[in-house]
Amino acid sequence: MRRNLHEDPSITDSLLNAVKTRNLRVIAEKVIQGVPVNEADTFTMLATHDILELGLIAHFLKTTLHGDAVYYSVNMNLNYTNVCELRCPLCAFSRSENDADAFTLSPDEIEAKIRNAVSSGIDEVHIVGGLNPKLKIDYFLEMLRRIKSITPDIFIVGFTAVEYDYFARINNLPLEEIFMRMKEAGVRALPGGGAEVFAPEIRDVIAPKKISGTRWLEVMRTAHNLGLQTNATLLYNHIERPADIVDHLQQIRALQEETGGFKTFVPLAYHDTNTNIRSRRSETTGFGDIRLYATSRIVLSNIPHLKALWMYLGEKMAQILLRFGVDDLGGTYHHEKIVHAAGASTPVSGSESHLRRLIKISGLTPVRAAANYETRSVQ
Ligand code: SF4
């Protein structure tokens, strides 16, 4: 799918001719030459009103990496417990153990959910949950064993860096051993949750008990060094400032230069319903979403994929972003709970045919894939 647009003068000239704003033209030249953009460029992109020119640069990069392909997955979310010790102010999903609507799924309940989703044709399962002190390593190994026994080919994306750090602490085991045991039991990749924004003064307000940004990066470094590829996320539209976004992107880029273990970057628009953090603005704006995604594509040119989760953004904005650097529309996500607990009004799962239609209408080519971007056939 990859096309070497950098070496096609008719395409690079046409990009440079189209980008007339001086600061953006400097960025376009860097992108064409494969030179990383700097912090000042990142501030420029996050504030520009020339979003169409910014989009041309981001789409050039996307097309260089992936041609016309847009990936999506047919998957389910498994949220095994909402009991969480941390009760982060940003979180609408978590509960304390004695709350009436607290839940922890038994292995039998997990097996039933997975069987049900597998019968509807999913390729992968994403597993995340709260930090529940009652759940020790054996619970997770049994969970993974049961899932693999239903269908050995299922692609398991399992547990955030925050959960792995917690598993190591409550089981009194080295982080490396936790990773090795989970990998042996079937985990093939990690989601990117828990990154939020790394800036300590923002993190102290939105998630004061969560591991630091530095620790999140350390856990990811360990996963990458053990051969597990991961996503990275950025939670935006709460109380972060542009400088915090710039810092976050630069830190992720730096770790990627070291390990190469991030496969996908996923900006997540914050929804504040039922949380204890009020956003500076209740919803993201179209300009804000477009600038953030296109900027992420350009800054993180060393991470192959950029995902726009239609469930967080709404399908219309997610579709527009396919022309602003995005190459992955996310999945069908049966049973998503977390963003809906925080007020997302999108449907809890989108059909495969609908996702394919959104991509085709954009003039691009839908490709069904697992989380490692191995293509899967459409059933
Ligand atoms: S965001 Fe994660 S760690 Fe924080 S309370 Fe919610 S489930 Fe727990």
Side-chain angles (χ1 to χ4, degrees):
M1 303 266 182
R2 192 180 173 108
R3 291 166 62 193
N4 217 347
L5 305 187
H6 294 84
E7 289 172 10
D8 183 335
S10 67
I11 293 175
T12 54
D13 287 353
S14 109
L15 176 65
L16 290 174
N17 286 336
V19 178
K20 305 213 179 296
T21 311
R22 192 173 57 81
N23 290 345
L24 292 179
R25 198 181 159 88
V26 169
I27 292 166
E29 283 166 354
K30 288 184 180 177
V31 167
I32 288 169
Q33 290 159 13
V35 174
V37 296
N38 61 28
E39 292 194 4
D41 297 327
T42 312
F43 277 108
T44 297
M45 291 188 280
L46 288 173
T48 188
H49 293 124
D50 295 304
I51 56 169
L52 297 180
E53 293 186 3
L54 181 66
L56 288 174
I57 305 170
H59 192 61
F60 170 87
L61 204 41
K62 181 266 169 199
T63 307
T64 301
L65 290 164
H66 307 294
D68 286 342
V70 174
Y71 302 93
Y72 68 93
S73 49
V74 177
N75 57 12
M76 72 168 284
N77 267 19
L78 176 67
N79 302 126
Y80 55 91
T81 183
N82 64 352
V83 174
C84 186
E85 276 192 355
L86 301 195
R87 305 305 315 272
C88 303
L90 65 78
C91 182
F93 167 74
S94 66
R95 295 290 181 272
S96 297
E97 192 180 348
N98 295 325
D99 286 345
D101 50 355
F103 72 84
T104 298
L105 300 179
S106 69
D108 286 348
E109 288 170 321
I110 290 170
E111 190 173 329
K113 279 183 187 291
I114 303 282
R115 273 191 197 287
N116 177 278
V118 164
S119 68
S120 73
I122 62 163
D123 297 323
E124 66 181 32
V125 55
H126 282 216
I127 314 173
V128 294
L131 308 187
N132 182 338
K134 294 223 165 117
L135 303 179
K136 298 293 186 320
I137 186 80
D138 291 345
Y139 170 86
F140 297 98
L141 297 177
E142 174 67 4
M143 171 195 296
L144 295 167
R145 191 189 66 71
R146 297 257 193 141
I147 294 171
K148 295 297 278 185
S149 74
I150 296 165
T151 168
D153 291 339
I154 196 163
F155 195 100
I156 300 177
V157 180
F159 317 110
T160 64
V162 178
E163 288 165 281
Y164 280 104
D165 173 81
Y166 185 72
F167 298 158
R169 284 188 285 117
I170 64 160
N171 291 286
N172 210 12
L173 289 169
L175 182 61
E176 288 80 358
E177 184 170 343
I178 296 285
F179 273 129
M180 292 310 293
R181 289 171 77 169
M182 295 294 209
K183 196 175 164 193
E184 273 167 29
V187 168
R188 298 203 40 204
L190 272 62
E196 324 305 1
V197 286
F198 297 142
E201 60 275 29
I202 302 294
R203 217 171 169 85
D204 283 351
V205 176
I206 63 173
K209 295 187 188 161
K210 195 171 272 194
I211 56 172
S212 67
T214 304
R215 178 64 179 156
W216 187 93
L217 289 162
E218 267 173 28
V219 174
M220 285 305 195
R221 180 182 288 110
T222 306
H224 296 170
N225 289 340
L226 292 169
L228 284 161
Q229 285 206 309
T230 78
N231 291 353
T233 57
L234 159 73
L235 189 70
Y236 71 100
N237 192 49
H238 42 90
I239 57 168
E240 84 288 353
R241 303 150 298 189
D244 302 320
I245 294 177
V246 174
D247 168 69
H248 192 90
L249 296 177
Q250 291 294 344
Q251 292 206 57
I252 287 176
R253 183 176 174 98
L255 182 57
Q256 179 71 349
E257 276 174 13
E258 182 189 324
T259 66
F262 290 124
K263 58 185 173 54
T264 311
F265 185 63
V266 195
L268 300 171
Y270 182 60
H271 291 255
D272 69 3
T273 306
N274 303 326
T275 76
N276 290 322
I277 300 290
R278 295 280 73 80
S279 298
R280 291 206 174 106
R281 342 135 192 100
S282 58
E283 287 186 4
T284 62
T285 66
F287 262 55
D289 287 333
I290 284 173
R291 285 191 292 226
L292 181 69
Y293 277 78
T295 301
S296 300
R297 175 61 292 164
I298 294 165
V299 176
L300 299 175
S301 57
N302 59 350
I303 296 182
H305 298 277
L306 177 66
K307 185 183 301 220
L309 289 174
W310 60 270
M311 195 183 301
Y312 279 69
L313 290 155
E315 61 183 36
K316 291 182 182 174
M317 178 52 74
Q319 186 189 35
I320 295 291
L321 291 171
L322 298 180
R323 290 279 166 177
F324 289 84
V326 165
D327 66 278
D328 183 339
L329 205 51
T332 49
Y333 290 114
H334 294 251
H335 306 305
E336 200 288 331
K337 284 192 168 65
I338 292 174
V339 69
H340 288 89
S345 56
T346 49
V348 286
S349 65
S351 70
E352 179 177 17
S353 59
H354 186 54
L355 294 186
R356 292 183 69 85
R357 184 166 164 264
L358 291 177
I359 296 166
K360 281 186 186 162
I361 287 172
S362 316
L364 299 165
T365 306
V367 178
R368 175 169 168 167
N372 61 353
Y373 296 94
E374 267 172 23
T375 56
R376 300 285 170 107
S377 47
V378 179
Q379 290 160 8

